């Protein structure tokens, strides 16, 4: 166990209505060099938060006077607490409790009884995120110029789940400002021309002039004129992607193919809610915890402050709701995002896992809950979009 020199500056709120549980965690934190501020309920936490912001809040989900998920929502809505990481304590092996934590905005969870090694790993991740605050997030970064809700809610979210860091622009003017501020950090651009073709193409022309070597993807939700189609082809070096002719999964595949040639996608366009508790470990490594929130036919998307490195092979224990014995699987980390303080780029802390082997029980759950009928064709005849 290593305590970094800066650890003494870490103040951690410990909120639990069990005196025994508070004392165990307080002793763990003392060994990790932190100042633990123990509280017996949400009211005390919120009152202390009004006076000072901690480095981390450890919060029990099940408390009598005010439930932990309610406290978490109030913390995240508080000006002093919106950027404070919250890790919630849950009963071991209870996926529905973890779901409550996620919906409340918690950053991660720890099962009770809290193990020192697991707490140390989460605390190290929080400290490392603070040290990364001034730099750009690691990974491929793209500017997405929105032309409507579809781009933000579907395409942007899907790109995030494929491991990209997305910078959202409301319109061409906002995009020009963001490109000027962050252009050196950007690896590509996606521009919807359908709302205002003239302004969007003018923006695309400026982006192409300044960032000639970076991929530029142009798309539209409307039927465009021959002139727009020709100009888009000239600027992007490829035909305009027309959403009305493409299924959502195919559109995402073509966007990814232009932004990151050679990337094998995780089929994030087809992801569905799939809430499970996930324990993962590399060969010979310590077991870490996280939770899946979505799954696609070939992937599991896991939220955790302690992701494994990209390319690592993992052994998984996946506990589904209503099960006492976890399922097992093997996976490779397709992308990994360590936690990063809030900034202009959006990306989930966690990892995308490419599933390679599942036991019979987990395979049965995927067959039942994760549809395979959509497919992910990168080429083929046009289809009507379902979005």
């Amino acid at each position: 166990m290593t305590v970094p020199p800066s650890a003494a500056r870490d103040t951690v709120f410990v909120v639990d209505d069990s005196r025994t549980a508070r004392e165990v965690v307080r002793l763990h934190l003392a060994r990790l060099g932190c100042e633990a501020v123990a509280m017996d309920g949400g009211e005390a936490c919120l009152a202390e938060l009004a006076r000072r912001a901690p480095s981390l809040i450890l919060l029990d989900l099940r408390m009598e006077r005010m439930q932990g998920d309610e406290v978490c929502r109030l913390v995240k809505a508080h000006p002093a607490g919106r950027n404070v990481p919250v890790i919630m304590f849950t009963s071991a092996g209870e996926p529905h409790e973890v779901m409550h934590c996620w919906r409340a905005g918690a950053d991660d969870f720890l099962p009770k009884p809290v193990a020192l090694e697991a707490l140390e790993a989460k605390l190290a991740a929080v400290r490392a995120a603070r040290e990364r605050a001034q730099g750009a997030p690691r990974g491929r970064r793209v500017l997405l110029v929105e032309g409507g809700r579809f781009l933000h809610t579907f395409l942007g979210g899907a790109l995030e789940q494929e491991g990209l860091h997305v910078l959202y622009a409301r319109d061409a003017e906002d995009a020009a400002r963001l490109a000027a501020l962050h252009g050196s950090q950007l690896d590509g651009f996606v521009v919807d021309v359908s709302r205002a073709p003239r302004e969007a193409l003018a923006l695309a022309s400026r982006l192409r002039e300044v960032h000639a070597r970076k991929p530029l993807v142009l798309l539209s939700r409307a039927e465009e004129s021959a002139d727009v189609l020709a100009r888009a082809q000239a600027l992007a070096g490829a035909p305009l992607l027309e959403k009305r002719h493409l299924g959502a999964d195919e559109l995402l595949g073509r966007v990814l193919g232009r932004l990151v040639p050679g990337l094998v996608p995780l089929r994030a366009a087809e992801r569905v809610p799939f809430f499970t508790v996930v324990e993962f470990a590399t060969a010979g490594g310590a077991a870490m915890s996280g939770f899946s929130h979505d799954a696609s036919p070939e992937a599991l998307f896991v939220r955790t402050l302690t992701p494994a490195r990209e390319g690592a092979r993992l052994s998984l224990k996946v506990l589904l709701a209503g099960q006492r014995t976890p399922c097992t699987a093997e996976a490779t980390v397709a992308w990994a995002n360590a936690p990063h303080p809030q900034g202009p780029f959006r990306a989930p802390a966690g990892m995308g896992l490419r599933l390679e082997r599942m036991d019979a029980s987990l395979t049965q759950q995927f067959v039942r809950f994760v549809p395979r009928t959509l497919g992910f064709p990168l080429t083929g005849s046009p289809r009507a979009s379902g979005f």
Side-chain angles (χ1 to χ4, degrees):
M1 179 179 64
T2 302
V3 180
S6 62
R9 296 195 294 270
D10 285 320
T11 299
V12 181
F13 290 0
V14 182
V15 188
D16 197 316
D17 59 2
S18 165
R19 179 180 298 177
T20 301
R22 291 198 306 271
E23 183 62 15
V24 168
V25 175
R26 188 191 69 77
L27 291 173
H28 284 343
L29 290 170
R31 293 184 65 184
L32 296 171
C34 297
E35 176 195 356
V37 181
M39 308 172 196
D40 63 1
E43 297 89 344
C45 173
L46 294 168
E48 187 66 20
L49 182 64
R51 289 189 284 272
R52 57 173 170 167
S55 301
L56 173 66
I57 296 176
L58 301 173
L59 174 63
D60 188 37
L61 175 64
R62 299 300 181 192
M63 297 186 292
E64 290 188 2
R65 294 192 303 273
M66 184 186 296
Q67 290 287 294
D69 53 346
E70 180 183 356
V71 179
C72 183
R73 289 189 183 93
L74 293 172
V75 166
K76 292 296 185 178
H78 196 288
R82 62 169 59 100
N83 294 326
V84 176
V86 176
I87 298 176
M88 298 190 71
F89 300 145
T90 69
S91 301
E94 294 293 343
H96 69 282
E97 291 199 354
V98 177
M99 181 173 65
H100 286 303
C101 298
W102 177 68
R103 288 178 173 173
D107 297 276
D108 209 337
F109 81 101
L110 281 169
K112 282 186 167 183
V114 177
L116 174 62
E117 188 177 47
L119 178 59
E120 181 181 15
K122 303 292 186 187
L123 182 60
V126 170
R127 288 169 172 158
R130 186 172 60 230
E131 294 172 1
R132 287 190 296 267
Q134 301 305 315
R138 295 180 60 184
R140 188 167 291 272
R141 299 173 291 272
V142 299
L143 174 64
L144 179 61
V145 186
E146 304 177 41
R149 188 176 62 177
F150 167 81
L151 275 186
H152 194 116
T153 57
F154 166 72
L155 186 58
L159 290 173
E160 289 181 28
Q161 295 303 326
E162 292 286 356
L164 279 67
H165 297 254
V166 182
L167 179 62
Y168 292 90
R170 296 183 302 273
D171 50 35
E173 182 179 353
D174 190 36
R177 179 184 64 83
L178 292 172
L181 286 172
H182 306 286
S184 62
Q185 300 174 357
L186 290 165
D187 299 297
F189 307 88
V190 180
V191 180
D192 184 358
V193 306
S194 52
R195 177 180 292 175
R198 181 180 300 176
E199 290 82 356
L201 289 173
L203 169 68
S205 179
R206 293 195 298 273
L207 293 174
R208 173 54 67 225
E209 181 179 349
V210 177
H211 306 281
R213 295 181 178 273
K214 297 180 180 180
L216 171 64
V217 181
L218 301 180
L219 55 85
S220 176
R221 295 170 292 113
E223 182 176 1
E224 302 295 350
S225 67
D227 179 61
V228 169
L229 294 175
R231 290 187 63 195
Q233 170 86 41
L235 288 167
L240 180 77
L241 294 177
E242 297 182 82
K243 173 182 169 287
R244 64 195 182 94
H245 291 318
L246 300 170
D249 54 334
E250 187 174 0
L251 176 63
L252 175 62
R254 295 194 181 190
V255 170
L256 283 171
R258 296 184 186 182
L259 288 174
V260 195
L263 175 71
V264 179
L266 295 178
R267 300 171 70 169
E270 300 175 67
R271 67 193 190 281
V272 296
F274 194 78
F275 234 98
T276 66
V277 174
V278 180
E279 182 180 288
F280 57 93
T282 57
M288 294 288 113
S289 63
F291 62 90
S292 72
H293 52 95
D294 289 326
S296 75
E298 297 176 358
L300 200 62
F301 302 94
V302 176
R303 292 286 182 93
T304 178
L305 294 177
T306 53
R309 60 176 176 79
E310 184 176 327
R313 291 183 61 83
L314 302 179
S315 297
L316 309 180
K317 292 183 179 179
V318 181
L319 188 63
L320 303 167
Q323 290 188 338
R324 293 183 178 273
T325 303
C327 304
T328 60
E330 294 180 5
T332 297
V333 181
W335 57 262
N337 290 332
H340 196 279
Q342 284 192 350
F345 291 91
R346 290 272 302 275
M351 53 189 176
L353 303 181
R354 192 179 309 281
L355 295 169
E356 297 173 349
R357 186 177 302 170
M358 297 184 284
D359 66 14
S361 179
L362 187 57
T363 299
Q364 184 179 27
Q365 294 298 319
F366 264 64
V367 170
R368 182 179 179 186
F369 293 110
V370 184
R372 288 182 169 271
T373 55
L374 293 178
F376 203 115
L378 298 182
T379 61
S381 58
R383 302 184 290 169
S385 172
F387 286 76

